[in-house]
Amino acid sequence: MMEQQEASPDVVMTRIGQAIMLLHGGDREEARNRFGALWAEIGERGDALHRCTLAHYMADTQDDPGDELVWDLRALSAAQVLTDERAAQHRDALAVRAFYPSLHLNLAADYVKLRRPAAARIHLDRAWQASAVLADDDADDGYGGGVRAAIGRLERRLLEL
């Protein structure tokens, strides 16, 4: 009989999750404050899963597109050193390669806001390429389809620039 191992509780991911709930609940300022406090604790050299997740959501709390870009670049940088083994230690994590479509989509959106269409196109193309690893709509919780739809919407918006 195989014994199931349960992942140890990750207090930092729990705290990040609480801030995400605030963000999704509409309290961007409090979410930003909590993400900022957590970032001060974990810093640029902290656990890659923590940095990637926190930076990905911290970007969404920014008012300035330049600041949003900085956080999205931090998320991508952390993902580049994140291993599937580390990601698998968190119960809700996807395989690392499944992070890339969303990370590149966010960067493309940042560059659109900053009116830098050439940079936006580079990341939009990378998002499309990376989306090949996402499951079909029927096979997952809609994440893959949602990301692909968002890439398509941004592509149409980029054509208008």
Side-chain angles (χ1 to χ4, degrees):
M1 176 180 211
M2 291 186 65
E3 190 175 310
Q4 275 190 329
Q5 284 191 332
E6 195 170 309
S8 62
D10 186 333
V11 175
V12 174
M13 287 301 285
T14 299
R15 291 171 62 200
I16 291 170
Q18 291 166 343
I20 292 168
M21 289 185 344
L22 287 168
L23 176 62
H24 290 168
D27 195 345
R28 289 176 72 231
E29 184 176 351
E30 183 59 24
R32 183 173 41 240
N33 291 340
R34 290 193 188 190
F35 287 139
L38 276 165
W39 189 261
E41 289 176 29
I42 64 174
E44 294 283 340
R45 301 278 182 240
D47 179 277
L49 179 62
H50 296 160
R51 288 184 293 123
C52 182
T53 306
L54 188 153
H56 179 68
Y57 286 100
M58 177 64 131
D60 294 340
T61 70
Q62 302 305 304
D63 297 323
D64 180 88
D67 293 338
E68 188 173 357
L69 174 63
V70 168
W71 285 104
D72 281 329
L73 287 169
R74 284 178 178 155
L76 179 62
S77 177
Q80 291 171 335
V81 297
L82 181 59
T83 65
D84 280 329
E85 294 77 22
R86 173 58 185 111
Q89 291 173 0
H90 185 65
R91 70 187 184 314
D92 295 328
L94 301 167
V96 174
R97 66 187 182 281
F99 291 3
Y100 286 99
S102 179
L103 294 171
H104 285 293
L105 171 63
N106 288 352
L107 285 164
D110 296 341
Y111 286 120
V112 166
K113 290 176 193 172
L114 293 166
R115 300 220 169 267
R116 294 176 56 192
R121 170 53 57 199
I122 289 168
H123 286 283
L124 196 60
D125 289 346
R126 289 177 183 169
W128 273 124
Q129 291 167 3
S131 72
V133 304
L134 299 176
D136 294 330
D137 293 342
D138 296 336
D140 68 6
D141 62 2
Y143 175 75
V147 170
R148 283 188 200 91
I151 294 169
R153 285 191 303 273
L154 187 61
E155 186 160 49
R156 288 187 294 281
R157 186 171 166 208
L158 186 56
L159 292 173
E160 296 170 4
L161 288 183

